[in-house]
């Protein structure tokens, strides 16, 4: 196989992993939002900061691996990595965390609720 083809395939794999890594970071943001709810304004600010970070990470990938040359398949690879992680791992992980949060809330309510004896 050509060295050039191997390089392009490695770049595509890097882009997939970059996308998955970005979604892992976004999951931490989601976890933060699950356990510490806050106003929509702050959620919007968090998202804006995250997407600026994601753009810088993607630019860094292109700069370091491709001398700053824009490759469409790298951008598509980042989004596919994000999408695959979100569909295959993140949904189940977040559902589990939400169930844990509900369980903890129920336990906390039982401890706080005064017992009434008749």
């Amino acid at each position: 196989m050509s060295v050039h083809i191997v390089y392009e395939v490695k770049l595509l794999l890097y882009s997939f992993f970059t996308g998955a890594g970005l979604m892992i970071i976004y999951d931490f943001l989601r976890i933060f939002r699950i356990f510490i709810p806050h106003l929509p304004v702050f959620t919007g600010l968090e998202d804006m900061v995250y997407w600026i970070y994601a753009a810088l990470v993607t630019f860094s990938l292109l700069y370091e691996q491709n001398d700053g040359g824009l490759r469409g398949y790298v951008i598509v690879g980042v989004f596919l990595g994000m999408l695959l992680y979100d569909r295959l791992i993140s949904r189940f992980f977040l559902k589990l965390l939400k169930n844990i949060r509900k369980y903890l809330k129920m336990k906390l309510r039982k401890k706080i609720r005064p017992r009434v004896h008749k």
Side-chain angles (χ1 to χ4, degrees):
M1 204 181 323
S2 166
V3 174
H4 184 67
I5 299 289
V6 170
Y7 167 76
E8 299 291 333
V9 169
K10 281 172 65 174
L11 185 57
L12 183 62
L13 287 174
Y14 286 153
S15 67
F16 282 140
F17 290 124
T18 299
L22 287 171
M23 281 306 292
I24 290 170
I25 291 168
Y26 195 73
D27 268 355
F28 283 115
L29 193 55
R30 288 176 174 171
I31 292 166
F32 176 69
R33 291 175 186 168
I34 288 171
F35 287 100
I36 304 172
H38 42 280
L39 296 173
V41 170
F42 294 112
T43 301
L45 286 172
E46 290 167 356
D47 281 344
M48 185 177 72
V49 169
Y50 169 79
W51 282 108
I52 291 170
Y53 172 76
L56 290 173
V57 167
T58 304
F59 174 77
S60 175
L61 171 72
L62 286 168
Y63 184 75
E64 291 173 7
Q65 300 297 324
N66 200 36
D67 297 326
L70 184 62
R71 301 270 190 197
Y73 70 88
V74 173
I75 305 299
V76 170
V78 168
F79 282 118
L80 281 176
M82 293 172 95
L83 183 69
L84 287 173
Y85 175 83
D86 184 55
R87 299 291 187 245
L88 298 177
I89 299 169
S90 180
R91 287 182 177 210
F92 302 110
F93 179 63
L94 290 175
K95 189 180 285 188
L96 174 70
L97 284 175
K98 286 179 182 179
N99 288 336
I100 290 171
R101 180 176 179 237
K102 285 180 188 176
Y103 175 77
L104 291 174
K105 272 187 166 181
M106 287 185 339
K107 285 289 194 184
L108 187 61
R109 283 185 190 149
K110 284 183 180 178
K111 284 184 178 182
I112 294 174
R113 192 177 316 153
R115 295 182 186 203
V116 179
H117 296 286
K118 291 183 182 183

